[in-house]
Amino acid sequence: MSRSAPAAEAAPADPANGPDAAGLAALFAPFTAHADVLLAVSGGPDSTALLLLAHRWRTQCGATTRLHVATVDHGLRAESRAEARDVAALAQRLGLPHAVLDLAAPLPGTRLQEAARDARYDALAAYAAAIGASALATAHTRDDQAETVLFRLMRGSGIGGLAGIPAERPLGTLTLLRPLLGRPKAELVALCQAAGVGCAEDPSNSNPRFARVRLRALLPLLAAEGLDAAAVERLARRMARAEAALEAATDAAAAALWPAWRDGEEPLAFPRAGLAALPEEIALRLLGRAVAAVGTGAVELGKLEALLAFIAGLGRDEQGARTLAGAVVRVNRRSVTLAPAPARRPSGSAR
């Protein structure tokens, strides 16, 4: 990873093109709910800007939230340790504690970016717990939001997926915060340059081996047609609004159709006529919750759609059963019942 500029020896100056005190207060308002926040800083321009802005917020706005900094070394490149030390030096000049985190195990050779992301979050969450931080902040930008929404669109995601990256969500016992989600990457690059702080450039961000990189190359063409990052981010916000409304409607349907299950009764059951009377989107979500509750977790939207179509296609007096994601779904004239699927026998076992 190359450096775009040498790191300054003195504490970096406030970026001239950054938000003012009121803008900083709005940007980092979610931080005020936490006594300690861990900043994930790789050394790239986005996360370096997060570090600079969070420090500026704490200084200019009199915030009492304690900031901590961590850099995950994935061990994939020879330069990564030096880049982590550069972040440590910047954090020290800003008066913030910093730690370099190693991964618990080597990364696999397949699905490398996904595996690295999961391992990175595991390392950061463990360190946050160790220092008593209740929140983890990452530097996802408007550009990241646009890539994510388009990526999910290509894969046929539903409304929830097209809502994109949430600005705040649970991460185990932590709260994951993304204060820069509405800011363009170009603004953050300019901010680091104005501060005189060098930033690392990860070569994997331009490697066409990765689907996100290939998608990123299309963004300028889409922007020329009017579908720029701001437009996609606006779509994500509107989808998030619709998602919240649909989830509220599903909550209401669950309260009406699952009163016994809410008290922990098994198997989970609700009236077949009640399911059939729901709008299709709400019925899908209700069924998905039911499968996740008794099975082995969430299930793909396409498989849920097939399951709902199976139920709807049964005649009034017909009954049937399907297994999905570790749940057995049984349908009779009156009800739809879900229970955990029996454990599979080992291959070759006696019958």
Side-chain angles (χ1 to χ4, degrees):
M1 195 182 285
S2 61
R3 303 291 294 183
S4 59
E9 290 300 320
D14 286 339
N17 60 343
D20 59 14
L24 289 168
L27 203 61
F28 292 101
F31 279 33
T32 60
H34 304 275
D36 293 84
V37 174
L38 176 62
L39 307 177
V41 181
S42 67
D46 302 347
S47 61
T48 299
L50 172 65
L51 172 56
L52 294 172
L53 287 170
H55 174 262
R56 184 178 174 190
W57 162 72
R58 195 172 187 278
T59 302
Q60 292 192 7
C61 299
T64 58
T65 300
R66 291 179 292 270
L67 301 177
H68 309 259
V69 187
T71 305
V72 177
D73 183 358
H74 299 85
L76 296 174
R77 296 175 296 101
E79 306 92 340
S80 60
R81 209 62 174 187
E83 292 159 3
R85 287 195 293 268
D86 287 341
V87 177
L90 176 59
Q92 183 178 24
R93 291 198 295 276
L94 296 174
L96 299 177
H98 177 272
V100 178
L101 309 179
D102 295 311
L103 300 185
L107 293 170
T110 58
R111 299 181 65 85
L112 181 60
Q113 287 196 321
E114 293 89 343
R117 178 197 60 214
D118 293 342
R120 179 167 62 252
Y121 276 120
D122 287 345
L124 289 165
Y127 182 68
I131 62 174
S134 58
L136 169 67
T138 64
H140 290 86
T141 68
R142 176 188 290 175
D143 300 68
D144 295 316
Q145 182 72 289
E147 291 171 17
T148 297
V149 172
L150 293 173
F151 190 79
R152 292 176 180 177
L153 180 63
M154 290 190 304
R155 280 156 175 72
S157 178
I159 291 173
L162 297 182
I165 307 170
E168 182 173 334
R169 72 168 177 85
L171 181 66
T173 59
L174 294 173
T175 300
L176 180 58
L177 302 173
R178 298 179 173 110
L180 304 183
L181 200 55
R183 319 296 286 207
K185 182 182 182 71
E187 176 187 308
L188 303 180
V189 172
L191 188 147
C192 294
Q193 292 172 343
V197 176
C199 299
E201 297 295 339
D202 189 340
S204 69
N205 288 333
S206 57
N207 187 342
R209 166 189 174 191
F210 301 114
R212 278 187 177 269
V213 174
R214 298 192 299 271
L215 177 59
R216 192 174 301 140
L218 297 176
L219 289 175
L221 298 175
L222 295 174
E225 298 297 330
L227 189 62
D228 59 8
V232 179
E233 192 255 346
R234 183 171 60 248
L235 170 66
R237 282 189 280 108
R238 290 170 174 170
M239 287 293 184
R241 187 174 63 206
E243 174 72 7
L246 290 167
E247 282 295 285
T250 307
D251 289 341
L257 299 180
W258 292 357
W261 177 74
R262 285 187 297 151
D263 294 331
E265 181 178 306
E266 290 187 4
L268 187 158
F270 44 85
R272 180 176 171 183
L275 181 69
L278 293 173
E280 185 176 358
E281 179 67 23
I282 306 305
L284 280 168
R285 289 167 182 259
L286 187 65
L287 197 56
R289 290 187 188 187
V291 171
V294 303
T296 55
V299 63
E300 295 174 19
L301 178 57
K303 293 180 179 180
L304 272 178
E305 290 170 336
L307 176 59
L308 184 63
F310 162 73
I311 295 171
L314 291 173
R316 179 180 176 184
D317 295 321
E318 288 185 297
Q319 43 188 342
R322 287 287 187 275
T323 301
L324 182 60
V328 176
V329 183
R330 294 186 175 88
V331 186
N332 59 35
R333 181 176 182 179
R334 294 183 178 275
S335 65
V336 177
T337 303
L338 295 94
R344 291 185 178 181
R345 293 179 178 178
S347 177
S349 61
R351 298 183 180 273

